[in-house]
Amino acid sequence: MQKDATQEQIDKVSEEIKRLGLTPVSIPGTQRIAIGIIGNAGPIDPELFIGLDGVRDAIPVSKPYKLVSREVKPDDTIIQIGDVKIGGNEFTVIAGPCAVESLDQCLTIARLVKKAGAQLFRGGAFKPRTSPYSFQGLEEKGLEILAEVRKQTGLLIVTEAIDHDVLAVVEKTADIIQIGARNMQNFSLLKRAGKSAKPILLKRGMSATIEELLMAAEYIMSEGNNQVILCERGVRTFADHSRNTLDLSAIPAVRTLSHLPIIVDPSHAAGRRDQVIPLSRGAFAVGAHGLIVEVHHDPKHALSDGPQSLYPEQFAELMHSLKTLSSVSQEGNK
Ligand code: PEP
Ligand code: MN
């Protein structure tokens, strides 16, 4: 729509789309509103819309995903929760333990990562573990702990929903709901996430292509939730010097194809702490919108992912080095 399109003109276009038996989906941007059309079996003639009042252009989308594509929305999506922004020119850091283990553990880590500059706190209350005998999370008790951490530190909370039932519980507490790599193509869970009022952090599946990741995000957006943050967390390859292979090239690729923010999880990519700082710096350099990093004050005794968790001092060092990189890149932009 044109920048100065009125609500009435927007409504008229939506009505016209419905009249054709199709579904309009509004995608608000910083400059203008775009109206995506879904439900069509084949191409639609752009001329049906071009003459309507307030319409700037009608663009056939060449990709199988529509609402997530830059063709539909050229400007970057910026997700704002309170004072925290993710997307655009922001670089936002989420940090915390893999799993919520106790209030003490979470508060200790949260205070340290906040001091170092993290804006959000991560911690799984419901854990998707490879073995049924591994720690599965503190569940509801874990969510209560996360709410207490937010109350005491002011940090916003990111936590994972592993299935439908859990999502209904998690969305009451979380500021951002994580959908993990193992669930990236759990299409019914994605649809349910699309009905949530909370932003969704969608992690790339361990052998998913970029197109599959974007189609997964499309499931969420097609149900009406525009607040999707993508996350590159490494894919499985023949390499055995790290747990997964961080696909840094996914960042510029996604930024070209989609308006959605994309952050990097160097912890699950590497699976080992010594690679987390260099990979984070790489993520910053290739244009990621932020990081989600595992940090633990006592990783030897962590109940999950200790070997890849940074010590709080290392996290502070990482934040410091990102500041240095940021001043270099600003220098480069002058
Ligand atoms: C996690 O963030 O703790 C996690 C399980 O991540 P992933 O889904 O990327 O493996
Ligand atoms: Mn983990």
Side-chain angles (χ1 to χ4, degrees):
M1 300 298 291
Q2 288 162 0
K3 276 185 198 156
D4 55 1
T6 63
Q7 190 56 47
E8 202 180 322
Q9 290 169 336
I10 294 167
D11 292 344
K12 272 255 172 63
V13 173
S14 299
E15 277 160 31
E16 183 57 21
I17 295 168
K18 285 186 198 151
R19 207 182 56 76
L20 296 164
L22 306 169
T23 309
V25 184
S26 293
I27 313 165
T30 43
Q31 298 277 332
R32 61 181 83 250
I33 192 160
I35 307 176
I37 303 177
I38 55 177
N40 51 309
I44 311 169
D45 184 1
E47 295 301 326
L48 287 168
F49 302 99
I50 280 169
L52 300 181
D53 287 346
V55 171
R56 178 172 176 259
D57 205 357
I59 307 162
V61 178
S62 59
K63 302 283 192 295
Y65 43 84
K66 299 182 179 189
L67 307 176
V68 309
S69 86
R70 252 202 214 280
E71 289 173 301
V72 166
K73 181 173 182 281
D75 60 323
D76 283 354
T77 286
I78 300 174
I79 289 158
Q80 178 146 14
I81 318 155
D83 296 335
V84 175
K85 288 183 186 165
I86 305 177
N89 296 325
E90 306 289 325
F91 192 82
T92 313
V93 179
I94 305 167
C98 180
V100 174
E101 298 169 11
S102 69
L103 180 60
D104 254 10
Q105 172 243 16
C106 281
L107 276 176
T108 305
I109 300 169
R111 290 193 178 117
L112 290 164
V113 298
K114 183 177 176 174
K115 192 157 165 252
Q119 288 150 296
L120 298 101
F121 184 72
R122 66 148 288 151
F126 295 84
K127 294 302 303 174
R129 301 303 299 277
T130 302
S131 163
Y133 309 120
S134 300
F135 176 58
Q136 304 283 308
L138 295 183
E139 304 183 337
E140 274 88 346
K141 173 82 190 125
L143 294 177
E144 284 166 28
I145 291 173
L146 289 170
E148 187 60 26
V149 168
R150 177 176 47 213
K151 196 166 146 203
Q152 294 203 26
T153 65
L155 287 171
L156 298 174
I157 300 300
V158 182
T159 195
E160 181 165 352
I162 52 172
D163 59 39
H164 263 246
D165 295 346
V166 167
L167 198 146
V169 184
V170 161
E171 75 183 338
K172 292 187 193 138
T173 303
D175 296 296
I176 297 181
I177 304 167
Q178 175 175 320
I179 299 214
R182 288 155 194 81
N183 267 320
M184 190 206 82
Q185 285 189 316
N186 181 340
F187 300 118
S188 74
L189 185 62
L190 297 175
K191 284 190 191 171
R192 172 61 184 83
K195 295 200 169 75
S196 179
K198 296 285 172 74
I200 307 295
L201 174 63
L202 176 65
K203 299 185 97 178
R204 180 179 179 186
M206 37 204 125
S207 57
T209 63
I210 297 300
E211 186 164 302
E212 286 164 341
L213 172 64
L214 294 176
M215 290 306 289
E218 185 82 11
Y219 262 95
I220 302 172
M221 283 194 73
S222 68
E223 295 292 330
N225 189 347
N226 294 326
Q227 306 190 90
V228 183
I229 303 149
L230 305 169
C231 179
E232 162 59 38
R233 46 78 73 206
V235 288
R236 206 165 259 192
T237 68
F238 53 81
D240 58 3
H241 59 278
S242 57
R243 184 155 89 180
N244 292 290
T245 297
L246 182 62
D247 179 10
L248 281 179
S249 68
I251 312 307
V254 165
R255 289 194 63 153
T256 305
L257 297 169
S258 176
H259 53 85
L260 293 174
I262 177 155
I263 67 168
V264 165
D265 176 344
S267 309
H268 291 89
R272 42 188 289 173
R273 148 178 343 113
D274 63 336
Q275 295 176 355
V276 170
I277 294 180
L279 292 179
S280 301
R281 291 160 61 90
F284 181 92
V286 296
H289 294 103
L291 296 171
I292 177 163
V293 187
E294 287 185 345
V295 180
H296 201 291
H297 64 298
D298 184 12
K300 271 199 201 74
H301 297 106
L303 296 181
S304 71
D305 286 347
Q308 69 197 33
S309 299
L310 291 183
Y311 287 96
E313 311 81 73
Q314 289 180 303
F315 178 70
E317 182 192 326
L318 165 61
M319 292 303 282
H320 182 74
S321 79
L322 291 173
K323 278 205 192 101
T324 315
L325 277 178
S326 158
S327 60
V328 173
S329 67
Q330 273 161 18
E331 198 57 35
N333 289 338
K334 272 186 191 161

